[in-house]
Amino acid sequence: MRKDGQYKIAVIGGDGTGPEVVREGLKVMEAVSKKFGFKYSLTIFDYGGERYLKTKKIISDKEVKALKKFDAIYLGAIGHPDVKPGILETGLLLKLRFGLDQYINLRPVKLYNADFCPLKDKKPQDIDFVVIRENSEGLYKSMGKFLNKGKKSEVATQISYNTRKGVERCIRYAFEYCRKRNKRKKLTLCGKTNVLTYAWDLWERTFNEVKKEYPDIKTDYAHVDATTMWFVKNPEWFDCIVTDNMFGDIITDLGAMIQGGMGIAAGGNINPGGVSMFEPIGGSAPKYTGKDVINPLAAICAAGMMLENIGEQKAADAIENAVIKIAKGSLKSLAAGKMGYTTQEIGDLVVKNL
Ligand code: IPM
Ligand code: MN
């Protein structure tokens, strides 16, 4: 929490529906700041596909560095239909995550209303866990090469790069988070020790060493393939899950579906000692752009996570409670165009229920 109570927030609406959902998140932030008496300033950045198409610029090292002076970054979505896939994702989103050393991707999976769960007989108390995804290494490191590109004999390699330091800081964060969360106090390592015998040997050894410092936390291990099975069959087994970058990417899309869909799934790219960035995890949804039909709840929840991260816990709780209320009482569905309300009306509903 800032002493002068004035937070500096950087806002990157980004592509597609990003700016629309961010607008609703900011609407909710304004209301909640009045209620709980904190102040902030917003600085809007136009990084994204439109700017890239006009200027050929994505984001420079200097621009990334300039973001370090903010207390947090609020991001809408990255990915533009007229830009080849990969350019903005690596040049902007991953560049920010890496450049700001946001080495944790924190993704809560929480069901607010059983009616929105595609699984049979699962209740809100059954689906309430957090995935702690390593966010700076692994297969995302862009390491690899082509041999004999374009020939019949072509070989492409893509390396999963795991450092002891990177793995340990992630695992340690996960234990601390699990302790602080103080629910079932169980941390599951999700990996693939039976096949990826270098990377996951390092992860498993590190996990087993670090866990000795946390005797109050129960630990468990599950292979990533089995993890997807348990997400569907027994999601109630999970409390906190720690995993690498690629596995974390995959299992959190499944996690989003069992909590009701991309419309409600939020995440934080966390640098515990620096500036963190909060985003709905659903992407830019180009086909819904500008139609006022996209669900802004994921972005609103991301704003809540951001407020929690900068120290405004009460405001964060108020947002979550308002979201729970309308997810239970008002919305017909969490899916775009089927909610029974427009994007802007949902923002208003959250504000009304704060
Ligand atoms: C996510 C996204 C990104 C990722 C893409 C857009 C690069 O899928 O945040 O989960 O793979 O991390
Ligand atoms: Mn993803």
Side-chain angles (χ1 to χ4, degrees):
M1 202 178 285
R2 271 182 98 93
K3 287 221 178 61
D4 59 4
Q6 173 91 36
Y7 302 103
K8 292 205 287 284
I9 311 283
V11 180
I12 305 172
D15 303 320
T17 51
E20 298 168 48
V21 294
V22 155
R23 210 175 297 134
E24 300 313 307
L26 293 177
K27 188 195 270 178
V28 172
M29 254 178 70
E30 197 188 325
V32 91
S33 73
K34 287 196 183 121
K35 193 163 175 182
F36 292 95
F38 63 90
K39 290 198 167 59
Y40 59 91
S41 65
L42 299 175
T43 308
I44 315 286
F45 295 91
D46 65 349
Y47 306 131
E50 291 299 329
R51 176 177 116 129
Y52 172 68
L53 290 170
K54 268 188 232 133
T55 65
K56 287 284 153 243
K57 287 196 195 107
I58 307 182
I59 189 169
S60 68
D61 295 344
K62 217 174 128 200
E63 286 165 329
V64 173
K65 210 173 140 208
L67 289 168
K68 291 187 183 170
K69 68 169 201 285
F70 289 90
D71 293 299
I73 303 166
Y74 188 38
L75 173 70
I78 301 298
H80 192 292
D82 302 333
V83 180
K84 196 176 149 219
I87 294 181
L88 297 168
E89 289 83 348
T90 56
L92 183 48
L93 183 59
L94 296 184
K95 187 164 176 170
L96 286 171
R97 288 178 182 170
F98 293 169
L100 299 171
D101 202 21
Q102 293 162 341
Y103 62 85
I104 298 295
N105 198 324
L106 195 63
R107 297 189 160 180
V109 176
K110 195 165 174 181
L111 178 65
Y112 291 138
N113 177 347
D115 295 346
F116 300 146
C117 183
L119 307 178
K120 209 169 101 212
D121 300 332
K122 295 296 175 191
K123 303 265 158 342
Q125 64 268 26
D126 297 322
I127 301 178
D128 181 5
F129 60 89
V130 179
V131 177
I132 295 123
R133 163 185 174 189
E134 204 291 323
N135 209 32
S136 66
E137 300 191 334
L139 280 166
Y140 277 65
K141 245 339 219 193
S142 271
M143 291 172 77
K145 61 180 173 207
F146 297 111
L147 274 173
N148 303 335
K149 191 171 183 184
K151 307 225 174 74
K152 286 265 186 266
S153 56
E154 179 166 352
V155 178
T157 57
Q158 190 93 44
I159 291 171
S160 173
Y161 181 85
N162 301 266
T163 65
R164 168 74 196 212
K165 181 182 164 214
V167 170
E168 186 172 332
R169 66 182 180 175
C170 175
I171 288 174
R172 205 171 277 287
Y173 182 93
F175 273 104
E176 292 289 336
Y177 185 89
C178 185
R179 179 182 274 171
K180 196 165 155 242
R181 175 173 151 89
N182 199 20
K183 286 208 169 153
R184 269 170 305 136
K185 290 198 150 186
K186 176 178 167 192
L187 179 63
T188 303
L189 177 68
C190 162
K192 193 71 187 174
T193 52
N194 53 349
V195 176
L196 307 180
T197 51
Y198 299 106
W200 284 93
D201 190 82
L202 171 59
W203 273 84
E204 194 176 39
R205 267 186 288 118
T206 309
F207 187 78
N208 288 338
E209 270 175 47
V210 174
K211 81 178 186 194
K212 293 187 194 130
E213 297 168 39
Y214 298 88
D216 52 322
I217 308 290
K218 291 185 280 298
T219 57
D220 194 7
Y221 171 83
H223 292 318
V224 62
D225 48 347
T227 302
T228 62
M229 177 176 76
W230 302 130
F231 270 23
V232 173
K233 200 171 167 288
N234 297 97
E236 64 277 7
W237 287 356
F238 296 108
D239 176 28
C240 293
I241 299 172
V242 63
T243 190
D244 78 1
N245 210 340
M246 186 80 259
F247 294 164
D249 178 46
I250 297 168
I251 67 172
T252 53
D253 267 25
L254 180 56
M257 288 322 287
I258 65 171
Q259 75 178 122
M262 288 299 182
I264 190 102
N269 303 275
I270 312 282
N271 175 345
V275 56
S276 300
M277 176 168 77
F278 299 84
E279 53 173 338
I281 77 170
S284 58
K287 69 174 178 186
Y288 297 123
T289 304
K291 300 205 164 113
D292 206 16
V293 296
I294 194 81
N295 189 345
L297 285 182
I300 291 169
C301 290
M305 288 181 78
M306 175 163 77
L307 291 177
E308 173 171 4
N309 185 265
I310 59 180
E312 295 295 336
Q313 185 67 50
K314 280 193 192 130
D317 292 343
I319 293 179
E320 187 179 26
N321 290 333
V323 169
I324 292 175
K325 236 191 261 168
I326 73 160
K328 272 191 181 149
S330 315
L331 302 193
K332 285 207 201 100
S333 158
L334 296 176
K338 299 182 181 148
M339 302 159 327
Y341 295 92
T342 65
T343 306
Q344 296 182 49
E345 284 168 349
I346 292 189
D348 295 338
L349 264 178
V350 174
V351 168
K352 233 194 277 160
N353 283 284
L354 282 172

